[in-house]
Coordinates of all heavy atoms in Angstrom, one line a residue:
M837 N 121.2 -57.6 -125.6 CA 120.0 -57.0 -124.9 C 120.6 -55.9 -123.9 O 121.4 -56.1 -123.1 CB 119.2 -58.0 -124.1 CG 118.1 -57.4 -123.4 SD 117.1 -58.5 -122.4 CE 116.4 -59.5 -123.7
A838 N 119.9 -54.7 -124.0 CA 120.3 -53.6 -123.1 C 119.3 -53.6 -122.0 O 118.1 -54.0 -122.2 CB 120.2 -52.3 -123.9
Q839 N 119.8 -53.3 -120.8 CA 118.9 -53.3 -119.6 C 119.3 -52.3 -118.6 O 120.5 -52.0 -118.5 CB 118.7 -54.7 -119.0 CG 120.0 -55.4 -118.7 CD 119.7 -56.8 -118.4 OE1 118.6 -57.3 -118.4 NE2 120.8 -57.6 -118.1
A840 N 118.4 -51.8 -117.8 CA 118.7 -50.9 -116.7 C 117.6 -51.0 -115.7 O 116.5 -51.5 -115.9 CB 118.8 -49.4 -117.3
V841 N 118.0 -50.6 -114.5 CA 117.0 -50.5 -113.4 C 117.0 -49.1 -112.9 O 118.0 -48.4 -112.8 CB 117.5 -51.4 -112.2 CG1 116.6 -51.3 -111.0 CG2 117.5 -52.9 -112.7
V842 N 115.8 -48.6 -112.6 CA 115.6 -47.2 -112.2 C 114.4 -47.0 -111.3 O 113.5 -47.8 -111.3 CB 115.4 -46.3 -113.5 CG1 114.1 -46.6 -114.2 CG2 115.5 -44.8 -113.2
T843 N 114.5 -46.0 -110.4 CA 113.5 -45.8 -109.4 C 112.6 -44.7 -109.9 O 113.1 -43.6 -110.4 CB 114.1 -45.4 -108.1 OG1 114.9 -46.4 -107.6 CG2 113.0 -45.1 -107.0
L844 N 111.3 -44.9 -109.8 CA 110.3 -43.8 -110.2 C 110.3 -42.7 -109.1 O 109.9 -42.9 -108.0 CB 108.9 -44.4 -110.3 CG 108.8 -45.5 -111.4 CD1 107.4 -46.1 -111.3 CD2 108.9 -44.8 -112.8
L845 N 110.7 -41.5 -109.5 CA 110.9 -40.4 -108.6 C 109.8 -39.4 -108.7 O 109.6 -38.5 -107.8 CB 112.2 -39.7 -108.8 CG 113.4 -40.6 -108.6 CD1 114.7 -39.9 -109.0 CD2 113.5 -41.1 -107.2
N846 N 109.0 -39.5 -109.8 CA 107.9 -38.5 -109.9 C 106.8 -38.8 -109.0 O 106.7 -39.9 -108.4 CB 107.4 -38.5 -111.4 CG 106.8 -39.9 -111.8 OD1 107.5 -40.9 -111.6 ND2 105.6 -39.9 -112.3
K847 N 105.8 -37.9 -108.8 CA 104.8 -38.0 -107.7 C 103.9 -39.2 -107.9 O 103.4 -39.8 -107.0 CB 104.0 -36.7 -107.7 CG 104.8 -35.6 -107.2 CD 104.0 -34.3 -107.2 CE 104.8 -33.1 -106.8 NZ 104.1 -31.9 -106.9
V848 N 103.5 -39.5 -109.2 CA 102.4 -40.5 -109.4 C 102.9 -41.8 -110.0 O 102.1 -42.7 -110.2 CB 101.3 -39.9 -110.3 CG1 100.6 -38.8 -109.5 CG2 101.8 -39.5 -111.6
G849 N 104.2 -42.0 -110.3 CA 104.7 -43.2 -110.9 C 104.2 -43.3 -112.4 O 104.1 -42.3 -113.1
L850 N 103.9 -44.5 -112.8 CA 103.5 -44.7 -114.2 C 102.0 -44.8 -114.3 O 101.4 -45.9 -114.3 CB 104.1 -46.0 -114.8 CG 105.5 -46.0 -115.2 CD1 106.1 -47.3 -115.6 CD2 105.7 -45.0 -116.4
H851 N 101.4 -43.7 -114.3 CA 99.9 -43.6 -114.4 C 99.5 -42.6 -115.5 O 100.2 -41.6 -115.7 CB 99.3 -43.1 -113.1 CG 99.5 -44.1 -112.0 ND1 98.8 -45.2 -111.9 CD2 100.4 -44.2 -111.0 CE1 99.2 -45.9 -110.8 NE2 100.2 -45.3 -110.3
A852 N 98.4 -42.8 -116.2 CA 97.9 -41.9 -117.2 C 98.9 -41.2 -118.0 O 99.4 -41.7 -119.0 CB 96.8 -41.0 -116.6
R853 N 99.1 -39.9 -117.7 CA 100.0 -39.0 -118.5 C 101.4 -39.6 -118.6 O 102.0 -39.6 -119.7 CB 100.0 -37.6 -117.9 CG 100.7 -36.6 -118.8 CD 100.9 -35.3 -118.1 NE 101.9 -35.3 -117.1 CZ 103.3 -35.4 -117.3 NH1 103.7 -35.3 -118.5 NH2 104.1 -35.4 -116.3
T854 N 102.0 -40.0 -117.5 CA 103.4 -40.4 -117.5 C 103.5 -41.8 -118.3 O 104.5 -41.9 -119.0 CB 103.9 -40.6 -116.1 OG1 103.1 -41.5 -115.3 CG2 104.1 -39.2 -115.4
A855 N 102.6 -42.6 -118.1 CA 102.6 -43.9 -118.8 C 102.5 -43.6 -120.3 O 103.1 -44.3 -121.2 CB 101.5 -44.8 -118.4
T856 N 101.6 -42.7 -120.7 CA 101.5 -42.3 -122.1 C 102.8 -41.8 -122.7 O 103.2 -42.2 -123.8 CB 100.4 -41.2 -122.3 OG1 99.1 -41.8 -121.8 CG2 100.2 -40.8 -123.7
L857 N 103.5 -40.9 -121.9 CA 104.8 -40.5 -122.4 C 105.8 -41.6 -122.6 O 106.5 -41.7 -123.5 CB 105.4 -39.5 -121.4 CG 104.8 -38.1 -121.4 CD1 105.4 -37.3 -120.2 CD2 105.1 -37.3 -122.7
F858 N 105.8 -42.5 -121.6 CA 106.7 -43.7 -121.6 C 106.4 -44.5 -122.8 O 107.4 -44.9 -123.6 CB 106.5 -44.5 -120.3 CG 107.6 -45.5 -120.1 CD1 108.7 -45.2 -119.4 CD2 107.4 -46.8 -120.5 CE1 109.7 -46.1 -119.2 CE2 108.3 -47.8 -120.3 CZ 109.5 -47.4 -119.6
V859 N 105.2 -44.8 -123.1 CA 104.8 -45.7 -124.2 C 105.1 -45.0 -125.6 O 105.6 -45.6 -126.5 CB 103.3 -46.0 -124.1 CG1 102.8 -46.7 -125.4 CG2 103.0 -47.0 -123.0
Q860 N 104.8 -43.7 -125.7 CA 105.1 -43.0 -126.9 C 106.6 -43.0 -127.2 O 107.0 -43.2 -128.3 CB 104.6 -41.5 -126.8 CG 103.1 -41.4 -126.9 CD 102.6 -40.0 -126.6 OE1 103.3 -39.2 -126.0 NE2 101.4 -39.7 -127.1
L861 N 107.4 -42.8 -126.2 CA 108.8 -42.8 -126.4 C 109.3 -44.2 -126.7 O 110.1 -44.3 -127.7 CB 109.5 -42.3 -125.1 CG 111.0 -41.8 -125.2 CD1 111.1 -40.7 -126.3 CD2 111.4 -41.2 -123.9
A862 N 108.9 -45.2 -126.1 CA 109.3 -46.6 -126.4 C 108.9 -46.9 -127.8 O 109.6 -47.7 -128.5 CB 108.6 -47.5 -125.4
S863 N 107.8 -46.4 -128.2 CA 107.3 -46.8 -129.6 C 108.1 -46.2 -130.7 O 108.0 -46.6 -131.9 CB 105.8 -46.3 -129.7 OG 105.0 -47.1 -128.8
E864 N 109.0 -45.2 -130.4 CA 109.8 -44.6 -131.4 C 111.0 -45.5 -131.8 O 111.7 -45.2 -132.8 CB 110.4 -43.3 -130.8 CG 109.3 -42.2 -130.7 CD 109.9 -40.9 -130.1 OE1 111.1 -40.8 -130.1 OE2 109.1 -40.0 -129.8
F865 N 111.2 -46.6 -131.1 CA 112.3 -47.5 -131.3 C 111.9 -48.8 -132.0 O 110.8 -49.2 -131.7 CB 113.1 -47.8 -130.0 CG 113.7 -46.5 -129.4 CD1 113.0 -45.8 -128.5 CD2 114.9 -46.1 -129.8 CE1 113.5 -44.7 -127.9 CE2 115.4 -44.9 -129.3 CZ 114.7 -44.2 -128.3
N866 N 112.7 -49.3 -132.8 CA 112.4 -50.6 -133.5 C 112.5 -51.8 -132.5 O 111.9 -52.8 -132.8 CB 113.4 -50.8 -134.7 CG 113.1 -49.8 -135.8 OD1 112.0 -49.4 -136.0 ND2 114.2 -49.3 -136.4
S867 N 113.3 -51.7 -131.5 CA 113.6 -52.8 -130.6 C 112.3 -53.2 -129.8 O 111.4 -52.4 -129.7 CB 114.6 -52.4 -129.6 OG 115.9 -52.1 -130.2
N868 N 112.3 -54.4 -129.4 CA 111.3 -54.9 -128.5 C 111.7 -54.3 -127.1 O 112.8 -54.6 -126.6 CB 111.2 -56.4 -128.4 CG 110.7 -57.0 -129.7 OD1 109.8 -56.4 -130.3 ND2 111.3 -58.1 -130.1
V869 N 110.8 -53.6 -126.5 CA 111.0 -52.9 -125.2 C 110.1 -53.5 -124.1 O 108.9 -53.5 -124.4 CB 110.9 -51.4 -125.3 CG1 111.4 -50.7 -124.0 CG2 111.7 -50.8 -126.4
V870 N 110.7 -53.9 -123.0 CA 109.9 -54.4 -121.9 C 110.2 -53.7 -120.6 O 111.3 -53.2 -120.4 CB 110.3 -55.9 -121.7 CG1 109.6 -56.5 -120.5 CG2 109.9 -56.7 -123.0
V871 N 109.1 -53.5 -119.8 CA 109.3 -52.8 -118.5 C 108.9 -53.9 -117.5 O 107.9 -54.6 -117.7 CB 108.6 -51.5 -118.4 CG1 107.1 -51.6 -118.7 CG2 108.8 -50.8 -117.1
K872 N 109.6 -54.0 -116.4 CA 109.3 -55.0 -115.4 C 109.2 -54.3 -114.0 O 109.9 -53.4 -113.7 CB 110.5 -56.0 -115.3 CG 110.7 -56.8 -116.6 CD 111.8 -57.8 -116.4 CE 111.9 -58.6 -117.7 NZ 113.0 -59.6 -117.5
K873 N 108.3 -54.9 -113.2 CA 108.2 -54.5 -111.8 C 107.7 -55.7 -111.0 O 106.7 -56.3 -111.3 CB 107.2 -53.4 -111.7 CG 107.0 -52.9 -110.2 CD 105.8 -51.9 -110.2 CE 105.2 -51.9 -108.8 NZ 104.1 -52.8 -108.5
D874 N 108.4 -56.0 -109.9 CA 108.0 -57.1 -109.0 C 107.6 -58.4 -109.7 O 106.6 -59.0 -109.4 CB 106.8 -56.6 -108.1 CG 107.1 -55.4 -107.2 OD1 108.3 -55.2 -106.9 OD2 106.1 -54.7 -106.9
G875 N 108.5 -58.8 -110.6 CA 108.3 -60.0 -111.3 C 107.3 -60.0 -112.5 O 107.1 -61.0 -113.2
K876 N 106.6 -58.9 -112.6 CA 105.6 -58.7 -113.7 C 106.3 -58.1 -114.9 O 107.2 -57.2 -114.7 CB 104.4 -57.9 -113.3 CG 103.5 -58.5 -112.3 CD 102.2 -57.8 -112.2 CE 102.3 -56.9 -111.0 NZ 101.1 -56.1 -110.8
E877 N 105.9 -58.4 -116.1 CA 106.6 -57.9 -117.3 C 105.5 -57.3 -118.2 O 104.4 -57.9 -118.4 CB 107.3 -59.0 -118.0 CG 108.1 -58.6 -119.2 CD 108.9 -59.8 -119.7 OE1 109.7 -60.4 -119.0 OE2 108.7 -60.1 -120.9
A878 N 105.8 -56.1 -118.8 CA 104.8 -55.5 -119.7 C 105.5 -55.0 -121.0 O 106.7 -54.6 -120.9 CB 104.2 -54.3 -119.0
N879 N 104.8 -55.1 -122.1 CA 105.3 -54.5 -123.3 C 105.3 -53.0 -123.2 O 104.2 -52.4 -122.9 CB 104.3 -54.9 -124.4 CG 104.6 -54.3 -125.8 OD1 105.5 -53.4 -125.9 ND2 103.9 -54.8 -126.8
A880 N 106.4 -52.4 -123.3 CA 106.5 -50.9 -123.0 C 105.9 -50.1 -124.1 O 105.8 -48.9 -124.0 CB 108.0 -50.5 -122.9
K881 N 105.4 -50.7 -125.2 CA 104.7 -50.0 -126.2 C 103.2 -50.1 -126.1 O 102.5 -49.7 -127.0 CB 105.2 -50.5 -127.6 CG 106.7 -50.3 -127.8 CD 107.2 -50.8 -129.1 CE 108.7 -50.6 -129.3 NZ 109.2 -51.0 -130.6
S882 N 102.7 -50.7 -125.1 CA 101.3 -50.9 -124.8 C 100.9 -50.2 -123.6 O 101.3 -50.5 -122.5 CB 101.0 -52.4 -124.7 OG 99.7 -52.6 -124.2
I883 N 100.0 -49.2 -123.7 CA 99.6 -48.4 -122.6 C 98.9 -49.3 -121.5 O 99.1 -49.1 -120.3 CB 98.7 -47.2 -123.0 CG1 98.4 -46.3 -121.8 CG2 97.4 -47.7 -123.6 CD1 99.6 -45.5 -121.3
L884 N 98.1 -50.2 -122.0 CA 97.4 -51.1 -121.0 C 98.3 -52.0 -120.3 O 98.2 -52.2 -119.1 CB 96.3 -52.0 -121.7 CG 95.1 -51.2 -122.3 CD1 94.2 -52.1 -123.1 CD2 94.4 -50.4 -121.2
D885 N 99.4 -52.5 -121.0 CA 100.4 -53.3 -120.3 C 101.1 -52.5 -119.2 O 101.3 -53.0 -118.1 CB 101.4 -53.9 -121.3 CG 100.9 -55.2 -122.0 OD1 99.7 -55.5 -121.8 OD2 101.7 -55.8 -122.7
V886 N 101.5 -51.3 -119.6 CA 102.3 -50.5 -118.7 C 101.5 -50.1 -117.5 O 101.9 -50.2 -116.3 CB 102.9 -49.2 -119.4 CG1 103.5 -48.3 -118.4 CG2 103.9 -49.6 -120.5
L887 N 100.2 -49.7 -117.7 CA 99.4 -49.3 -116.6 C 99.1 -50.5 -115.7 O 98.9 -50.4 -114.5 CB 98.0 -48.8 -117.1 CG 98.1 -47.4 -117.7 CD1 96.8 -47.0 -118.4 CD2 98.5 -46.3 -116.7
S888 N 99.0 -51.7 -116.2 CA 98.7 -52.9 -115.5 C 99.8 -53.2 -114.4 O 99.6 -54.0 -113.5 CB 98.5 -54.1 -116.4 OG 99.8 -54.6 -116.9
L889 N 101.0 -52.7 -114.6 CA 102.1 -52.9 -113.6 C 101.8 -52.2 -112.3 O 102.3 -52.6 -111.2 CB 103.4 -52.4 -114.1 CG 104.0 -53.1 -115.3 CD1 105.3 -52.4 -115.8 CD2 104.3 -54.6 -114.9
G890 N 101.0 -51.1 -112.3 CA 100.6 -50.4 -111.1 C 101.9 -49.8 -110.4 O 102.0 -49.7 -109.2
A891 N 102.8 -49.3 -111.3 CA 104.1 -48.8 -110.7 C 103.8 -47.4 -110.2 O 103.3 -46.5 -110.8 CB 105.1 -48.7 -111.9
E892 N 104.2 -47.2 -108.9 CA 104.0 -46.0 -108.2 C 105.3 -45.3 -107.8 O 106.4 -45.9 -107.9 CB 103.1 -46.2 -107.0 CG 101.8 -46.8 -107.3 CD 100.9 -47.1 -106.1 OE1 101.5 -47.1 -105.0 OE2 99.8 -47.4 -106.3
H893 N 105.2 -44.1 -107.2 CA 106.3 -43.3 -106.7 C 107.2 -44.2 -105.8 O 106.6 -44.9 -104.9 CB 105.9 -42.1 -106.0 CG 107.0 -41.4 -105.2 ND1 107.8 -40.5 -105.9 CD2 107.4 -41.5 -104.0 CE1 108.7 -40.1 -105.0 NE2 108.4 -40.6 -103.8
G894 N 108.5 -44.3 -106.0 CA 109.4 -45.0 -105.2 C 109.6 -46.5 -105.7 O 110.5 -47.1 -105.2
D895 N 108.8 -46.9 -106.6 CA 109.0 -48.3 -107.1 C 110.2 -48.4 -108.0 O 110.5 -47.4 -108.7 CB 107.7 -48.8 -107.9 CG 106.5 -49.1 -107.0 OD1 106.7 -49.2 -105.8 OD2 105.4 -49.2 -107.6
V896 N 110.8 -49.5 -108.0 CA 111.9 -49.8 -108.9 C 111.4 -50.6 -110.1 O 110.8 -51.6 -109.9 CB 113.1 -50.6 -108.1 CG1 114.2 -50.9 -109.1 CG2 113.6 -49.8 -106.9
I897 N 111.8 -50.1 -111.3 CA 111.4 -50.8 -112.5 C 112.6 -51.2 -113.3 O 113.6 -50.5 -113.2 CB 110.4 -50.0 -113.4 CG1 111.1 -48.7 -113.8 CG2 109.1 -49.7 -112.6 CD1 110.3 -47.9 -114.9
G898 N 112.5 -52.2 -114.0 CA 113.5 -52.6 -115.0 C 113.1 -52.3 -116.4 O 111.9 -52.5 -116.7
I899 N 114.0 -51.9 -117.2 CA 113.7 -51.6 -118.6 C 114.7 -52.4 -119.4 O 115.9 -52.4 -119.2 CB 113.9 -50.1 -118.9 CG1 113.0 -49.2 -118.0 CG2 113.6 -49.8 -120.4 CD1 113.2 -47.8 -118.1
E900 N 114.2 -53.2 -120.4 CA 115.0 -54.0 -121.3 C 114.6 -53.8 -122.7 O 113.4 -53.6 -123.0 CB 114.8 -55.5 -120.9 CG 115.3 -55.9 -119.6 CD 115.1 -57.4 -119.3 OE1 114.5 -58.1 -120.2 OE2 115.4 -57.8 -118.2
A901 N 115.6 -53.8 -123.6 CA 115.3 -53.6 -125.0 C 116.2 -54.5 -125.8 O 117.4 -54.6 -125.5 CB 115.5 -52.2 -125.4
D902 N 115.6 -55.2 -126.7 CA 116.3 -56.2 -127.6 C 116.1 -55.8 -129.0 O 115.0 -55.8 -129.5 CB 115.8 -57.6 -127.3 CG 116.7 -58.6 -128.0 OD1 117.8 -58.4 -128.3 OD2 116.1 -59.7 -128.2
G903 N 117.2 -55.4 -129.7 CA 117.2 -55.0 -131.1 C 118.3 -54.0 -131.4 O 119.2 -53.7 -130.6
D904 N 118.3 -53.6 -132.6 CA 119.4 -52.8 -133.1 C 119.6 -51.4 -132.4 O 120.7 -50.9 -132.3 CB 119.3 -52.6 -134.7 CG 118.0 -51.9 -135.1 OD1 117.0 -52.0 -134.4 OD2 118.0 -51.3 -136.1
D905 N 118.5 -50.9 -131.9 CA 118.5 -49.6 -131.2 C 118.2 -49.8 -129.7 O 117.8 -48.8 -129.1 CB 117.7 -48.6 -131.9 CG 116.2 -49.0 -132.0 OD1 115.9 -50.1 -131.5 OD2 115.4 -48.2 -132.5
G906 N 118.4 -51.0 -129.2 CA 118.1 -51.3 -127.8 C 118.8 -50.4 -126.8 O 118.2 -50.0 -125.8
E907 N 120.1 -50.2 -127.0 CA 120.9 -49.4 -126.1 C 120.3 -48.0 -126.0 O 120.1 -47.4 -124.9 CB 122.3 -49.3 -126.5 CG 123.1 -50.6 -126.3 CD 123.5 -50.8 -124.8 OE1 123.5 -49.8 -124.0 OE2 123.7 -52.0 -124.5
K908 N 120.0 -47.4 -127.1 CA 119.5 -46.0 -127.2 C 118.1 -46.0 -126.6 O 117.7 -45.0 -125.9 CB 119.4 -45.5 -128.6 CG 119.0 -44.1 -128.8 CD 120.0 -43.1 -128.1 CE 119.6 -41.7 -128.4 NZ 120.3 -40.8 -127.6
A909 N 117.3 -47.0 -126.8 CA 115.9 -47.1 -126.2 C 116.0 -47.1 -124.7 O 115.3 -46.3 -124.1 CB 115.2 -48.3 -126.7
V910 N 116.8 -47.9 -124.1 CA 117.0 -48.0 -122.7 C 117.5 -46.6 -122.1 O 116.9 -46.1 -121.2 CB 117.8 -49.1 -122.3 CG1 118.2 -49.1 -120.8 CG2 117.1 -50.5 -122.6
E911 N 118.5 -46.1 -122.7 CA 119.1 -44.8 -122.3 C 118.0 -43.7 -122.3 O 117.9 -42.9 -121.3 CB 120.2 -44.4 -123.2 CG 121.5 -45.2 -123.1 CD 122.5 -44.8 -124.1 OE1 122.4 -43.8 -124.7 OE2 123.5 -45.6 -124.3
T912 N 117.3 -43.6 -123.4 CA 116.3 -42.6 -123.5 C 115.1 -42.7 -122.5 O 114.7 -41.8 -121.9 CB 115.7 -42.6 -124.9 OG1 116.8 -42.5 -125.9 CG2 114.7 -41.5 -125.1
L913 N 114.7 -44.0 -122.2 CA 113.6 -44.2 -121.3 C 114.1 -44.0 -119.8 O 113.4 -43.4 -119.0 CB 113.0 -45.6 -121.4 CG 112.2 -45.8 -122.7 CD1 112.0 -47.3 -123.0 CD2 110.9 -45.0 -122.7
V914 N 115.3 -44.4 -119.5 CA 115.9 -44.1 -118.2 C 116.0 -42.6 -118.0 O 115.7 -42.1 -116.9 CB 117.3 -44.8 -118.1 CG1 118.0 -44.3 -116.8 CG2 117.1 -46.3 -117.9
E915 N 116.4 -41.9 -119.0 CA 116.5 -40.4 -118.9 C 115.1 -39.8 -118.6 O 115.0 -38.9 -117.8 CB 117.1 -39.8 -120.2 CG 117.3 -38.3 -120.1 CD 117.9 -37.8 -121.4 OE1 118.7 -38.4 -122.0 OE2 117.5 -36.6 -121.8
L916 N 114.1 -40.3 -119.3 CA 112.7 -39.8 -119.0 C 112.3 -40.0 -117.6 O 111.8 -39.1 -116.9 CB 111.7 -40.5 -119.9 CG 110.3 -40.2 -119.7 CD1 110.0 -38.8 -120.2 CD2 109.4 -41.2 -120.5
V917 N 112.6 -41.2 -117.0 CA 112.3 -41.5 -115.7 C 113.1 -40.6 -114.7 O 112.5 -40.1 -113.7 CB 112.5 -43.0 -115.4 CG1 112.3 -43.3 -113.9 CG2 111.5 -43.9 -116.2
K918 N 114.4 -40.6 -114.9 CA 115.2 -39.8 -114.0 C 114.9 -38.3 -114.0 O 115.1 -37.6 -113.0 CB 116.7 -39.9 -114.4 CG 117.3 -41.3 -114.0 CD 118.7 -41.4 -114.3 CE 119.3 -42.7 -113.8 NZ 120.7 -42.8 -114.0
N919 N 114.3 -37.8 -115.1 CA 113.9 -36.4 -115.2 C 112.5 -36.2 -114.7 O 111.8 -35.2 -115.0 CB 114.0 -35.9 -116.7 CG 115.5 -35.6 -117.0 OD1 116.2 -35.0 -116.2 ND2 115.9 -36.1 -118.2
R920 N 112.0 -37.2 -114.0 CA 110.6 -37.2 -113.4 C 109.5 -36.9 -114.5 O 108.6 -36.2 -114.2 CB 110.6 -36.2 -112.3 CG 111.6 -36.5 -111.2 CD 111.6 -35.4 -110.1 NE 112.7 -35.7 -109.2 CZ 112.5 -35.8 -107.9 NH1 111.3 -35.6 -107.4 NH2 113.5 -36.0 -107.1
F921 N 109.7 -37.4 -115.7 CA 108.7 -37.2 -116.7 C 108.5 -35.7 -117.0 O 107.4 -35.3 -117.4 CB 107.4 -38.0 -116.4 CG 107.6 -39.4 -116.3 CD1 108.0 -40.0 -115.1 CD2 107.4 -40.3 -117.4 CE1 108.2 -41.4 -115.0 CE2 107.6 -41.6 -117.3 CZ 108.0 -42.2 -116.1
Y922 N 109.4 -34.9 -116.7 CA 109.4 -33.4 -116.9 C 108.2 -32.8 -116.2 O 107.7 -31.8 -116.6 CB 109.4 -33.1 -118.4 CG 110.4 -33.9 -119.2 CD1 110.1 -34.9 -120.1 CD2 111.8 -33.6 -119.0 CE1 111.1 -35.6 -120.7 CE2 112.8 -34.3 -119.6 CZ 112.4 -35.3 -120.5 OH 113.4 -36.0 -121.2
E923 N 107.9 -33.4 -115.0 CA 106.7 -32.8 -114.2 C 107.1 -31.6 -113.4 O 106.3 -30.7 -113.2 CB 106.2 -33.9 -113.3 CG 105.4 -34.9 -113.9 CD 104.8 -35.9 -112.9 OE1 105.3 -36.0 -111.8 OE2 103.8 -36.6 -113.3
E924 N 108.4 -31.5 -113.0 CA 108.7 -30.5 -112.0 C 109.8 -29.6 -112.6 O 110.6 -29.9 -113.4 CB 109.3 -31.1 -110.7 CG 108.2 -32.0 -110.1 CD 108.7 -32.8 -109.0 OE1 109.9 -33.3 -109.0 OE2 107.9 -33.2 -108.2

């Protein structure tokens, strides 16, 4: 299982547009991908699950992926977050 922890640096965190980008990217991988915040866990391929975390600017999230492309999934999602969802 691949995993990483990253801080949301973009202005709005995981809301609407950014959550959609996150889910679309996670869905490109075969692995089961999970995003975690404050003890809550969400299926990273479900927009409703991701939005239910209420992740905002400055929050720390965990990303985990289990499967043959898990490492690549985590790396790609971490890159998206670190690049502030290409907002700026």
Side-chain angles (χ1 to χ4, degrees):
M837 177 180 297
Q839 51 191 0
V841 176
V842 66
T843 301
L844 295 171
L845 302 173
N846 62 310
K847 293 177 184 174
V848 297
L850 282 174
H851 295 282
R853 189 189 70 79
T854 55
T856 299
L857 285 173
F858 192 88
V859 168
Q860 287 173 339
L861 198 54
S863 296
E864 292 179 9
F865 297 94
N866 293 324
S867 296
N868 291 323
V869 185
V870 172
V871 60
K872 297 180 176 183
K873 179 190 158 266
D874 297 336
K876 292 191 262 179
E877 186 174 300
N879 175 353
K881 297 180 182 183
S882 165
I883 189 70
L884 293 177
D885 275 10
V886 172
L887 289 172
S888 75
L889 292 175
E892 299 178 349
H893 172 82
D895 286 345
V896 176
I897 61 169
I899 302 170
E900 296 180 359
D902 190 22
D904 59 333
D905 56 0
E907 288 285 338
K908 184 65 175 168
V910 170
E911 288 173 17
T912 303
L913 291 167
V914 166
E915 182 179 327
L916 176 69
V917 173
K918 285 185 176 180
N919 285 313
R920 300 174 187 234
F921 297 85
Y922 311 112
E923 285 183 340
E924 300 168 329

